[in-house]
Amino acid sequence: MNFPILTAITFIPLLISTIVLLIPKSKENWIRSVSTVLSLIPLALSIYIYIAVRADPGKMHFTEEYSWIPAIDVYYRMGVDGLSAVMLVLTTLLSTLCYYYSIYTIKNRVKEYYFLFLLLQVGMSGVFVSLDFIFFYVFWEIGLVPMYLLIGIWGGERRIYASIKFFLYTLAGSMAMLLAIIGVYLATGTFNILEAAAAQPFAGNFALSAAAFWAFFVAFAIKVPIFPFHTWLPDAHTEAPTAGSVILAGVLLKLGAYGLIRIVLPIFPKTFAFYSYNVPVIPILAVISIVYGALVCMAQWDLKRLIAYSSVSHMGYVTLGISAAAASLAISGREGTATSAIISINGASLQLFTHGVITGGLFFLVGMIYDRAHTRQIRDFGGLGSKVPYYYGIMMVTGFASLGLPGLAGFWSEFFVFRGAFAIIPIFAIIGVLGIVFTAAYILWKIVQHIFLGEFDQEKWDQVTHQAKLTDLATFEKITMWPLVILMVLIGFYPSLIVRLLNGVSTALVNNILP
Amino acid sequence: MHIFLFLLPQLILFLSLVLVFGIDLVGSKEKKWLPYLALTGTTISLAVSIYLFGWVEITAESVLGGMIAIDSFSLYFQIFAAVIASIIILLSIEYMALRSPYQGEYYSLILLACFSISLLSVSADLVMVFISFELLSISSYILTGFLRNDPKSSEAAIKYFLYGSIASAMMLYGMSLLYGATASTNLIQIAQGLSGIDPGLRWVIYPALVLLMVGFGFKTVTVPFHQWSPDAYEGAPTPVTAFLAVGSIGAGFAVLIRVMLTALPDFQVNWAALIAGLSIMSMTLGNLVAISQKNIKRMLAYSGIAHAGYILIGLVSWDLWYPGMVFDGVSGVLIYLLVYLAANLGAFAVVIGFEHKLGSNQISDYAGLIQRSPLMAGTMVVFLFSLIGIPGTGGFVGKLMIFGAALRKEYYFLAIIAIINSVVAGFYYLNVIRYMFFQPLDEPQRDRIQLPKTLSAVIILTCVFTLLMGLFAQPFIQFVQASLGLITS
Amino acid sequence: MVPVLIFGLSSVVTLGAALAVVTNKNILHSAFYLILAFVGVASIYVLLEAPFIAVVQVLVYIGAIAILIVFAIMLTRRLLSKDLIQRNAQWGLSALGATGLFLVLGWIVYSVNWPVKLLTVPEDPISVLGQELLSTYVVPFEIASVLLLAALVGAILIGRERE
Amino acid sequence: MADLINLIENWIKNILLGWGVTESLAVFILQVLGSVLVVIVCFVIVIALIWVERKLAGRIQDRFGPNRAGPYGIFQSFADIIKIFTKEYITPVGAEKGLFNIAPVLAMFSVLAIWAVFPFAINVVGGDIHVGVLYIVAIGAFGILAILMAGWSSNNRYALLSASRSVAMLISYEIPMIISLLVPVLLAHSMKLSVIVEAQMPWNIFVAPLAALIFGISSMAEVGKAPFDLLEAESELVAGYHTEYSGMKFGMFYVAEFLHQFTVGALMAIFFLGGWTGPLAVRWPILGVFYFYGKTFFIYLVISWIRLSLPRIRIDEMLNLNWRFLIPISFINLIAVAIADRVMLEFNLARWIYVVVMFLINILILVAALTIAEKNEKAVERVEFSPRPIAVPPGKESK
Amino acid sequence: MAIPINWFLVLAAGLFCIGLYGVLSRRNAIGILMGIELMLNAVNINLITFWRYINPVKLTGQVFAIFVFTVAAAEVAVGLALVIAIYRNRDTVIVEEIDLLKE
């Protein structure tokens, strides 16, 4: 066993946070720069992992296993495959960008801010690398606490309501998951996620299986979020500080979908298939998320809220993709099913990455304009395109990526999802495509037209912003945005950069669940 | 080695109490070092009991006329009692010095109350159970009403007293029925008498069970025998509240487990159903009422009721423990008690520090605590998260063990109600955090709070233990499983 | 025949006095009825061939507890006025509950076939009692002494005048 | 011929059996007759006692005492009885009638009931129960109760004040009394009065003089005679708890009081002076009865003598005497006697050594206690405590 | 013995329930205390009855009863001290009027 790279990538942020804790409160610049610079280490490590996993993405690498609480059979198990590696890159990248961006935007209680943010990163990375249920759960919840405090302390006006709502929703879901985890343990005798998947618990007992399935599903669905469980999201996203929103949309939402792919699908394939095909509850919810989210976006006048709802819509594609893969089990005899299933999972997991990058970028952009105007109301703007061309340009790229313009990142993931789903659950795929139309509508109509096009009205601007200065992007904002824009374009032209890793994982997964 | 050696920790506790009481009587000077003397006694007792625990594997044995059962279960509670005594003494030093001139009496009563916790855990006879129960009750009444010039303290004490006396009278009636049915008061003999009992006579055991549960329910603060607790908690001197919230509840569970498992294993179906009902009521009512509380001591009282409900689930899902078993109800109870001890005493330490410095117990006065005392606010978050059951803190391990046991015995409804309640509980704990972190100070720059050293020590210690139990639970769980000597053999 | 008569008499006295205790409007009268009830219980003990318990009953309950109660009532004299209602609003419910409990408990203890062994009482039970107290029950005995001391200290501490 | 008492008993029994009465009923009737006899004797004696005491008081106070009615005023008591019987019963306004009427009866009962367990001679005992000593103590409780009832029901401030004083005093002094009574119990290894009497070899007053002293003092307080007559301190409380009583109701209190003093004499006699024992008492039990009453009467006179000589003490002094002196010393005495008894029985020492050692131990304790008490007399002062302020921010005070 | 065991037990049950009624229906703290004493007496009757009828050779029931006496005395002492204290502080012992501790 060589260098425990996964332990390092998970716990280096904890180390940094300890260092931050030791730096005196008054030395704010030290805190900022130390956090940002040192956070490059996990970023570098994750890129190294990405490269190392590329060769054989379908199986676990860098696995670590130590006895942690043997009395209750809990082990310290880590491992990384293609999917995890991609998510790790996303996590570390967005975190570093957030630290950097926050150097210039967070002015009060800096020490606490960085401390909590670093803790958050520990939780997020931990979830992506853990292979033990309890261990997974621990990181899952560890991520929850700092986010709660981040929203509550640095958030907007309704931050207290939003933070408590966020916390309680997630807590409710995770408590249900805890019961399900214990149930799986009692059925299989292990907390190891891979072994549990191999053991196929509750195979003979549909009622129990369904109960455990729904417990997991609800926990993850709340995080994703899928339609009836999504109500926390607009509040939390809207009230969180910019970096918080970025991480929320960019990484935290992915935890739920990751859980669906990593845990629910392999462990309860039959049940999942049942609810995806025979009683298609899940695809229905996914489609509702897509369409409803997009429609609500069209009705929103708060820019940040709009983007928040767009996440609901976009994450609906992910759910649709996963449920399509699950439904493939029900029609496994049909030709090409396996390929379609693999494609749809590829799409869903690619969507995780691209949505992370795109929506992260969008929230950054919203934060930037808000810092200038101190308002997020779309009606307050108009004709900004001529005033802030640089900002306009980047917004255009990101927005088009979001609506799935070919050549940009969003296209491929949506394409894969619909390609896969169409072969398996065609009705839902067709309805889902409607979502793309609405997305295009609100991006073009709401964002591009209302904000950037038209005449700039200086008087109105002065009135709503109390004569704030309107400047184009500063250097640090450009530095924050460029990596994201590059990624969007890069994946748009060369999706294999990511899909190659994901494909290995999906192939292995589908081969395991299909008879 | 001699079996009586295992009573040494108790004896030390008792001797230190005699010493404190006696020294206080001699001379009329104020003795500031009296609490430290008491603390020395409890520390020695703790050290001895830990040493004894690690020494040999103890088999259960009843000694002194069958009155006392010596086993690792009782050693667990001797450690529990010594820890509580030490912490309560540390919490009291600054607080009580300002409020009462009767230092000697106070510390000897605290020691006596803690002594009676360990006494309850070794009781192997109904007579012994009763008398130690009353020893604990009476010392608690006195401690609650200790600030006799404070109307709230007297009021709390009289309410506590009335409820306690009624509960103990009802419990006694139940005990007398048990005695009548089996012609013995010894727990083991009762179990023997009950194992081949005439079916007609079983009808006597049901009311006896219910009546016994009144008494135990009073001590463990379960609904509907909880009415005293919010008032008593609010009115009592805060260190005493801390004792009631942890020590008294722990003692209640000690005796509950002992009696149910030793004397009434044949009636598990019946008492498990009864306790399950109580548990559901406690969790639900405790959590729902806690939400609307404005006083933090009251809030903690109601949350204590809820926690008692969770702990009862562990007892309900009791099964014979064997090595290698992962989720066992009673070890869940014991680990939960440890976790609850650390987190709740820590929270009370913060409350005491706050009250000591600012004279208030209103949750709204905690606004902006993070800026005035990062230590207090930071650790309070840990304690509250532990009480919610967030991983990384001990509370998670406790909940995991309890829920695991419930699921293993297929009490799904209990587990589901418990998780719903855990979420509801999150609401009022977060409320405190909200005030401490999110609410800005009403006056911009107030003084920072400088805590007394003893309180800081307790806060840091309990915080470390809360985190340790969450992150490195192995030794604690092993310790707890080793404590199941007699109980499950 | 004689024991039955004594039993009848003392149970009527006991229960009647007890009822008076809980229903009488004057709390002081209640206290004196309480004493009567204690006397009745003592006679029950005599009937059960436990003279020691009977005497202790008189000594402790009448000689100490009842007198303390009477004393406390006198000290809280303001509450003795005639027009003060001594029972609370839910007394009807309480009566119903108590009656119900009595029906259940009474029925159970009456109908159950107790494992009765008709043996004679040992010769000189008092010395046996003393030996039992200091051998088998020595631990609870000692604890009882601590309990009494604690109660004494506590009562003085709490009941003392303000200084 | 030897046993006169037994003879009479058998005689009556035979008559009853001759009338066709069953055995058990005959025994019951005999018991009733015996109790009636004891009660009558008590009343008669009280009449004599009152006269004796007044005569004695007269002598001690340098006056004649009753001297008009009959020779030496011997009929004075009878005259008083007639007067009391013919007086009007007055019940004050606002009195609690029931309690007011029960109280004197209870007072009488509490004294007379004690006599039920006294051994008058060998085998002449009303009820020779195992728990005789406890019974005596327990019955005493009714006396306290009677005082409380009387004091409360009279609707009189002074009566109530007296009652509360009396309870404070009687309950306090019960402790040393019971503890010192345990010494004879310990020496006889029984709580049966007959056994205690028979076990005295020599009299307990030589083996346990300290216990006798404590018992004497505390039972004087129990009786409420000077110097402990605070419950009816005329100068402060009119006539104490029975201020409002008149006629025979008052008479019952009055009689009970004298009888109580006499009963204390009897207790002293039984516990410390060998009861009915004396020369030839075993052979002729009737002689035992005389010995018993003789000793009782002697103690009665001693108590009268003391009460006529000493002034009344203040209430705080009275309580201090009890709590700070009598109770500790009685406990120490009990423990010392218990240990000494155990040790000496273990070594099987000769009886006279046992007695001497016991006597010396008693004296030693007494001397030591008196020395310490004298030394500490000045040290007993109230320790003042000034409470430090409690940290309460302004505006947050509870009131 | 002439009297069957269940007579005593029913008597005790009756006394217990009367005491319980007193406890539940009284407003005065001392009244409640009296109810508690009645309940304890019922327990003692039970204990002595069981001792006499079920196993008179071992004195367990009597010993238990003695401990009940002891505890009852201690409880009353503490309780009445509390009553006096509350009366001094609040000038009442009516339980419903003792209400500082309500939100």
Side-chain angles (χ1 to χ4, degrees), chain A residues 68 70-71 109 159-160 185, chain B residues 326 370 385 391 434 438 471 474:
Chain A
W68 182 25
R109 295 161 89 171
R159 62 183 190 277
I160 289 166
Y185 171 79
Chain B
V326 171
I370 179 73
F385 278 142
R434 182 192 106 183
F438 306 165
L471 296 174
Q474 174 63 13

Side-chain angles (χ1 to χ4, degrees), chain D residues 86-109:
Chain D
T86 53
K87 273 197 138 183
E88 183 194 359
Y89 295 122
I90 298 168
T91 310
V93 177
E96 306 250 356
K97 277 232 176 70
L99 296 178
F100 189 75
N101 292 332
I102 294 169
V105 181
L106 208 59
M108 280 295 286
F109 165 79

